[in-house]
């Protein structure tokens, strides 16, 4: 859907005069300058200077890989920061709402609540798919954002691309398709839909397949007007220099990432086979991510048993429709060997 992007943004923020960081006030034409503009310590270390506020070098590298333009790309301190910023930027506290599709990633609701923004919930169907009609019916002009993680966390499945397309074509606010686990999925990213839909936002992260959870780096791809707005409302130096260096290196090592993803997918198949044969596991849900969701006889009991054997999984039972479930991330083949050994010793 084509929307008037500026109409979806908070008026008071559209008019905001952004903080101008020192390094944005002149154009460096490649000359070596003496930097006396930002009250830094002048003695050189890898981090004595403020980082590039617009992260141009890393964005160029990402844009080339993802086949987008750099002004369609926003970088955040993890996707978590982007989720918070987009809610803050679009939703008037006490007036607007976001929409989520539980069971879903928990941060959407937390971030909305922190910003004083309401949350409408339209649960997934019993097979963990999107209830497209109910979503469209539950939305009104105050529903500014619809968050859809695919593959979904905590269920692990991808949503039907036809349903995603129907929502992007018909939802009158922004549709945020959160592709945190896209590298593990069979279906391709929906990034190619961007040029037709100014209401589509795609976010991805360096925290999962890219192996950089500790560095905190998220990517959001969207209409250029929205990206420019996000750049104006962000903290000036939201991505630190160390993270930018590690990301540049990581982008050059995508062959290693792909090899690791291949191992994880093989391990997923192996662990699935084991879990399906355990009598106390009722269901092992199909996964398109780097974790498996299982329904068991008694999730608290099994969780505690695993803890006592030195293995930490996630008890996901508090999520709507996920009673008595555990979410198990895939480890290294050695870690999975230990998990499988432990699983076989737990009584029926
Ligand atoms: C669907 C989904 N989106 C976003 C995130 C957070 O990503 P980041 O580490 O980039 O903040 C997670 C983390 O678990 C997630 O499951």
């Amino acid at each position: 859907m084509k929307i008037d992007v500026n109409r979806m943004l908070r008026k008071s923020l559209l008019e905001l005069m952004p903080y101008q960081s020192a390094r944005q006030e002149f154009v460096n034409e490649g000359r070596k300058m003496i930097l006396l503009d930002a009250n830094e310590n002048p003695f050189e270390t890898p981090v004595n200077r403020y980082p590039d506020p617009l992260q141009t070098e890393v964005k160029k590298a990402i844009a080339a890989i993802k086949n987008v333009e750099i002004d369609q790309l926003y970088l955040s301190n993890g996707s978590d920061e982007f989720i918070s910023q987009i809610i803050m930027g679009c939703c008037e506290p006490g007036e607007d709402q976001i929409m989520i599709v539980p069971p879903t990633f928990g941060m959407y609701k937390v971030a909305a609540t922190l910003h004083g923004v309401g949350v409408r919930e339209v649960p997934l169907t019993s097979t963990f798919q999107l209830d497209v009609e109910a979503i469209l019916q539950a939305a009104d002009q105050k529903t500014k954002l619809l968050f859809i993680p695919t593959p979904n966390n905590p269920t692990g499945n991808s949503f039907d691309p036809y349903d995603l397309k129907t929502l992007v074509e018909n939802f009158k606010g922004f549709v945020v398709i959160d592709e945190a686990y896209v590298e593990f999925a069979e279906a391709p990213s929906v990034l190619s839909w961007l040029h037709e839909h100014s209401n589509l936002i795609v976010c991805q992260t360096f925290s999962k397949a890219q192996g950089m959870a500790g560095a905190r780096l998220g990517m959001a791809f969207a209409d250029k007007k929205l990206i420019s707005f996000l750049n104006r409302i962000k903290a000036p130096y939201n991505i630190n220099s160390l993270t930018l260096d590690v990301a540049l290196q990581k982008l050059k090592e995508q062959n290693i990432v792909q090899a690791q993803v291949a191992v994880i997918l093989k391990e997923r198949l192996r662990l699935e086979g084991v879990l399906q044969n355990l009598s106390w596991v009722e269901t092992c849900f199909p996964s398109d991510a780097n974790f498996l969701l299982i329904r068991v006889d008694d999730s608290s009991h099994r969780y505690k048993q695993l803890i006592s054997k030195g293995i930490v999984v996630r008890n996901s039972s508090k999520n709507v429709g996920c009673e008595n479930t555990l979410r198990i991330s895939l480890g290294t083949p050695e870690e999975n060997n230990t998990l499988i050994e432990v699983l076989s010793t737990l009584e029926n």
Side-chain angles (χ1 to χ4, degrees):
M1 166 164 303
K2 295 256 187 257
I3 54 167
D4 177 355
V5 168
N6 283 350
R7 207 183 54 77
M8 300 304 297
L9 309 175
R10 282 170 70 193
K11 269 212 177 60
S12 54
L13 300 188
L14 263 176
E15 287 154 14
L16 174 85
M17 186 66 95
Y19 176 79
Q20 194 69 15
S21 72
R23 296 291 133 77
Q24 286 171 306
E25 285 175 351
F26 74 101
V27 181
N28 184 353
E29 286 148 345
R31 265 187 309 156
K32 178 109 181 87
M33 309 295 271
I34 295 176
L35 299 173
L36 305 177
D37 56 345
N39 305 341
E40 298 150 330
N41 180 327
F43 297 100
E44 289 297 330
T45 71
V47 289
N48 69 314
R49 299 293 177 190
Y50 282 102
D52 172 5
L54 291 175
Q55 309 100 16
T56 308
E57 208 183 345
V58 171
K59 277 185 184 163
K60 276 186 187 161
I62 295 172
I65 291 176
K66 303 284 181 184
N67 201 19
V68 297
E69 293 175 43
I70 71 165
D71 44 10
Q72 292 178 295
L73 170 59
Y74 173 78
L75 295 183
S76 55
N77 192 324
S79 288
D80 287 347
E81 188 205 14
F82 162 73
I83 292 163
S84 174
Q85 290 292 100
I86 191 73
I87 294 173
M88 193 251 284
C90 297
C91 299
E92 210 56 65
E95 268 185 45
D96 296 328
Q97 330 95 31
I98 66 161
M99 186 176 284
I100 59 172
V101 288
T104 190
F105 178 50
M107 275 309 290
Y108 311 134
K109 191 172 187 171
V110 170
T113 307
L114 285 169
H115 290 298
V117 168
V119 180
R120 285 196 182 167
E121 304 193 13
V122 179
L124 299 179
T125 65
S126 58
T127 54
F128 294 148
Q129 283 298 324
L130 294 162
D131 191 340
V132 174
E133 226 165 86
I135 290 171
L136 292 174
Q137 261 176 21
D140 60 31
Q141 80 274 22
K142 302 255 179 212
T143 318
K144 295 289 178 62
L145 291 156
L146 166 62
F147 285 93
I148 304 178
T150 184
N152 189 31
N153 178 9
T155 59
N157 61 299
S158 291
F159 294 125
D160 185 335
Y162 178 82
D163 289 348
L164 294 172
K165 195 69 173 268
T166 307
L167 287 170
V168 173
E169 281 171 354
N170 293 286
F171 188 82
K172 294 193 171 64
F174 287 118
V175 180
V176 180
I177 299 198
D178 182 345
E179 296 187 328
Y181 301 96
V182 71
E183 292 98 328
F184 303 104
E186 252 178 62
S189 164
V190 300
L191 265 179
S192 62
W193 301 354
L194 265 189
H195 62 280
E196 280 173 48
H197 300 285
S198 55
N199 68 331
L200 172 64
I201 304 173
V202 180
C203 63
Q204 298 181 357
T205 179
F206 280 77
S207 293
K208 307 298 176 184
Q210 300 296 325
M212 281 177 47
R216 313 303 300 130
L217 188 61
M219 300 166 267
F221 305 87
D223 184 273
K224 291 176 185 179
K225 275 193 205 134
L226 178 61
I227 298 299
S228 151
F229 171 75
L230 287 169
N231 284 330
R232 277 183 281 129
I233 64 167
K234 78 184 183 67
Y237 306 109
N238 60 328
I239 313 295
N240 72 74
S241 319
L242 301 176
T243 296
L244 292 174
D245 289 348
V246 180
L248 267 184
Q249 189 54 35
K250 183 63 71 174
L251 290 163
K252 292 179 189 146
E253 294 171 353
Q254 289 303 292
N255 53 336
I256 298 177
V257 172
Q258 277 162 17
Q260 291 173 343
V261 168
V263 171
I264 292 168
L265 294 186
K266 227 168 119 192
E267 289 295 297
R268 187 173 76 197
L269 205 63
R270 177 165 78 108
L271 187 59
E272 213 172 354
V274 171
L275 290 164
Q276 278 162 349
N277 283 319
L278 293 172
S279 60
W280 50 271
V281 174
E282 276 174 31
T283 316
C284 179
F285 293 96
S287 172
D288 236 1
N290 63 337
F291 57 84
L292 287 163
L293 185 78
I294 54 173
R295 178 161 280 129
V296 299
D297 51 355
D298 180 346
S299 58
S300 300
H301 175 57
R302 298 301 175 186
Y303 176 83
K304 283 183 205 142
Q305 277 185 318
L306 287 169
I307 290 278
S308 73
K309 306 272 183 186
I311 294 175
V312 189
V313 299
R314 188 80 188 251
N315 188 343
S316 35
S317 302
K318 286 206 186 104
N319 293 284
V320 177
C322 294
E323 299 71 29
N324 270 330
T325 60
L326 299 175
R327 195 193 67 193
I328 307 177
S329 307
L330 291 149
T332 62
E334 297 71 30
E335 288 173 329
N336 299 333
N337 285 344
T338 308
L339 170 69
I340 288 167
E341 249 173 67
V342 167
L343 289 172
S344 67
T345 66
L346 302 188
E347 87 281 3
N348 291 329

